């Protein structure tokens, strides 16, 4: 049984090696994507002369500023950065098009970036697309989900194959052959990063596969996607959304607005309930508001939700390591490098083992010939 699992572990690891290396390395970058973006383009992502005591401009004024400055675009979503040196993000779409763009907006002055950026023009967008979809949209997302399942299988079988890991976890035989050293290093890295690898595998596989299944079910009977058109009366309720949400969930912190369209004239609000913990995402509690009347059609307070909803909401901080500040980010960034290290050491072990078996087989095949030569 153990031999069969070992073979499966080796072959699946070899098959997934390159993809998991890409996913792991891009994941490590994404852990610090905000810090990297701030360093590369602070004039775009940061509020200049940020003052924590300053008052934000009304959201209606901000949206009007954006759409008057860029009349060829309309707003699909708005991400708030409350009491933060980082700018808000307006997610905009070109009129008559279906490609999302990101526009950075200073919520205290209304100043914006010079233009909306295509999703792949931003560091975050480029790396997130490579990380989750390999730039292949839904097909790539399905493929990445399969590789995430493979990674989860490798983590679980690694636990089984190296159960007495505590005896040799930090034992590296430096003077041994490359195969033995790689074997020691492979076990040490694999066992040390098992908690993170299980989290990466479970959350990544769930997100990708559930998204693909949702798309298949949602659009099974649709021949083509209609291009979204903005809802003309949305400004009437925009300024009162925070109050409406707070009345529905007292103490509610509104973090994201998904804007209504003609096809679906509803504001979708996502934020946090009061007393949210470190393992709660910023978007776990939601309120849906009719754009024409301000009527609340749905309200979901995560603090009142069931166990599974709480688990699903924790996936975001757990996947990206944002739950404990810089310390968890560093650990998660290093853990993201483990697939590359495990792929390299595993590949070396696989081919070294193959050469060793081939050499042994060759010796066994030539032994009878050598014996005959000695007799004669």
């Amino acid at each position: 049984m153990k031999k069969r699992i070992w073979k499966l572990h080796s072959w699946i690891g070899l098959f997934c090696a390159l993809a998991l290396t890409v996913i792991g390395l891009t994941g490590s970058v994404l852990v610090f994507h905000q810090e990297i973006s701030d360093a590369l383009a602070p004039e775009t992502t940061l509020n200049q002369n940020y003052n924590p005591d300053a008052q934000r401009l009304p959201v209606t004024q901000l949206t009007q500023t954006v759409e008057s400055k860029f009349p060829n675009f309309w707003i699909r979503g708005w991400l708030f950065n409350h009491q933060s040196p980082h700018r808000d993000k307006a997610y905009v779409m070109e009129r008559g098009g279906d490609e999302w763009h990101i526009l950075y907006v200073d919520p205290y002055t209304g100043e914006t970036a010079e233009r909306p950026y295509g999703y792949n023009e931003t560091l975050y967008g480029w790396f997130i697309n490579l990380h989750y979809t390999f730039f292949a949209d839904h097909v790539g997302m399905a493929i990445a989900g399969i590789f995430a399942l493979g990674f989860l299988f490798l983590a679980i079988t690694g636990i089984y194959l190296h159960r007495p890991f505590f005896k040799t976890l930090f034992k590296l035989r430096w003077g041994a052959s490359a195969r033995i050293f790689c074997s020691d290093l492979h076990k040490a890295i694999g066992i040390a990063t098992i908690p993170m690898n299980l989290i990466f595998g479970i959350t990544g596989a769930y997100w990708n596969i559930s998204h693909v299944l949702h798309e298949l079910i949602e659009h099974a009977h649709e021949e083509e996607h209609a291009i979204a058109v903005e809802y003309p009366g949305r400004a009437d309720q925009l300024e009162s959304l925070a109050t409406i949400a707070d009345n529905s969930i007292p103490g509610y912190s509104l973090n994201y607005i998904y804007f209504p369209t003609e096809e679906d004239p509803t504001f979708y609000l996502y934020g946090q309930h009061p007393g949210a913990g470190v393992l709660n995402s910023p978007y776990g509690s939601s309120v849906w508001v009719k754009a024409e009347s301000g009527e609340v059609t749905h309200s979901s307070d995560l603090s009142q939700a069931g166990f599974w909803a709480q688990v699903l909401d924790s996936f975001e901080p757990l996947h990206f390591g944002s739950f404990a500040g810089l310390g968890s980010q560093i650990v998660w960034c290093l853990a993201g490098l483990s697939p590359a290290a495990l792929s390299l050491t595993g590949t070396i072990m696989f081919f070294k083992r193959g050469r060793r078996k081939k050499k042994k087989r060759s010796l066994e095949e030539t032994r009878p010939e050598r014996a005959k030569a000695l007799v004669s």
Side-chain angles (χ1 to χ4, degrees):
M1 179 66 176
K2 185 175 181 179
K3 189 174 182 180
R4 289 181 181 178
I5 293 177
W6 180 268
K7 285 184 177 180
L8 272 175
H9 185 90
S10 300
W11 281 107
I12 291 177
L14 194 65
F15 173 74
C16 296
L18 180 58
L20 292 181
T21 297
V22 172
I23 291 172
L25 293 178
T26 53
S28 290
V29 173
L30 286 169
V31 169
F32 285 107
H33 76 89
Q34 188 65 68
E35 290 79 1
I36 296 172
S37 297
D38 293 345
L40 294 176
E43 71 285 354
T44 298
T45 63
L46 296 175
N47 301 317
Q48 304 302 316
N49 303 315
Y50 168 68
N51 180 359
D53 297 323
Q55 294 294 317
R56 293 175 57 94
L57 295 176
V59 64
T60 303
Q61 181 178 340
L62 291 173
T63 57
Q64 290 173 345
T65 298
V66 167
E67 292 186 340
S68 63
K69 187 173 182 180
F70 304 99
N72 292 330
F73 290 85
W74 63 286
I75 299 170
R76 294 300 312 273
W78 195 283
L79 179 67
F80 297 91
N81 277 311
H82 299 289
Q83 297 180 329
S84 167
H86 296 109
R87 291 186 172 190
D88 286 1
K89 290 179 184 177
Y91 292 89
V92 300
M93 184 176 287
E94 199 164 5
R95 299 182 190 278
D98 59 0
E99 296 294 327
W100 288 60
H101 295 68
I102 297 175
L103 180 69
Y104 295 92
V105 183
D106 187 329
Y108 303 100
T109 65
E111 181 186 353
T112 72
E114 58 183 13
R115 64 180 177 86
Y117 292 93
Y119 205 64
N120 286 337
E121 289 185 88
T122 65
L123 181 140
Y124 176 77
W126 193 90
F127 274 94
I128 205 77
N129 274 337
L130 178 56
H131 184 75
Y132 282 115
T133 72
F134 301 119
F135 298 116
D137 202 33
H138 298 309
V139 174
M141 185 167 281
I143 293 171
I146 292 170
F147 282 122
L149 287 175
F151 190 47
L152 187 58
F153 173 83
L154 292 172
I156 294 171
T157 53
I159 296 173
Y160 174 80
L161 293 170
H162 305 295
R163 293 188 298 279
F165 67 89
F166 52 88
K167 296 180 181 178
T168 59
L169 177 57
F170 298 108
K171 182 180 179 181
L172 298 178
R173 288 167 281 186
W174 295 91
S177 66
R179 184 185 66 83
I180 293 175
F181 176 77
C182 284
S183 176
D184 290 346
L185 186 60
H186 189 86
K187 285 186 285 187
I189 294 173
I191 296 299
T193 57
I194 272 178
M196 287 75 76
N197 291 342
L198 288 174
I199 290 172
F200 297 153
I202 292 170
T203 55
Y206 177 83
W207 281 339
N208 281 40
I209 293 173
S210 62
H211 178 87
V212 171
L213 291 176
H214 172 77
E215 287 295 316
L216 291 174
I217 295 170
E218 186 76 13
H219 304 294
H221 304 293
E222 293 184 11
E223 294 183 2
E224 59 180 290
H225 292 281
I227 294 178
V229 178
E230 64 182 309
Y231 178 75
R234 57 193 177 144
D236 297 339
Q237 301 295 339
L238 191 57
E239 202 58 50
S240 61
L241 288 177
T243 302
I244 293 172
D246 189 69
N247 290 336
S248 182
I249 304 176
Y252 186 76
S253 174
L254 176 58
N255 293 323
Y256 183 80
I257 301 175
Y258 185 85
F259 278 59
T261 63
E262 280 192 349
E263 183 182 28
D264 183 11
T266 303
F267 285 104
Y268 294 94
L269 314 181
Y270 298 93
Q272 280 188 324
H273 60 279
V278 295
L279 290 181
N280 292 136
S281 79
Y283 318 107
S285 296
S286 58
V287 180
W288 301 352
V289 182
K290 283 187 176 181
E292 62 268 36
S293 64
E295 177 189 352
V296 174
T297 60
H298 166 85
S299 178
S300 175
D301 184 344
L302 185 66
S303 64
Q304 307 299 319
F307 174 75
W308 180 238
Q310 301 275 353
V311 170
L312 290 181
D313 183 68
S314 70
F315 277 11
E316 180 172 332
L318 284 174
H319 190 84
F320 291 106
S322 59
F323 57 89
L326 182 61
S328 60
Q329 285 181 289
I330 292 173
V331 172
W332 255 237
C333 180
L334 293 175
L337 303 177
S338 69
L342 292 170
S343 297
L344 178 61
T345 54
T347 301
I348 292 173
M349 288 163 55
F350 182 87
F351 286 106
K352 287 285 185 181
R353 191 182 303 114
R355 289 179 184 176
R356 189 166 65 105
K357 288 182 178 179
K358 187 177 180 180
K359 185 176 180 180
K360 182 179 180 182
R361 193 180 307 115
S362 177
L363 289 173
E364 289 175 350
E365 289 173 353
T366 58
R367 188 175 296 129
E369 299 298 327
R370 294 200 305 271
K372 287 180 182 179
L374 289 173
V375 171
S376 62

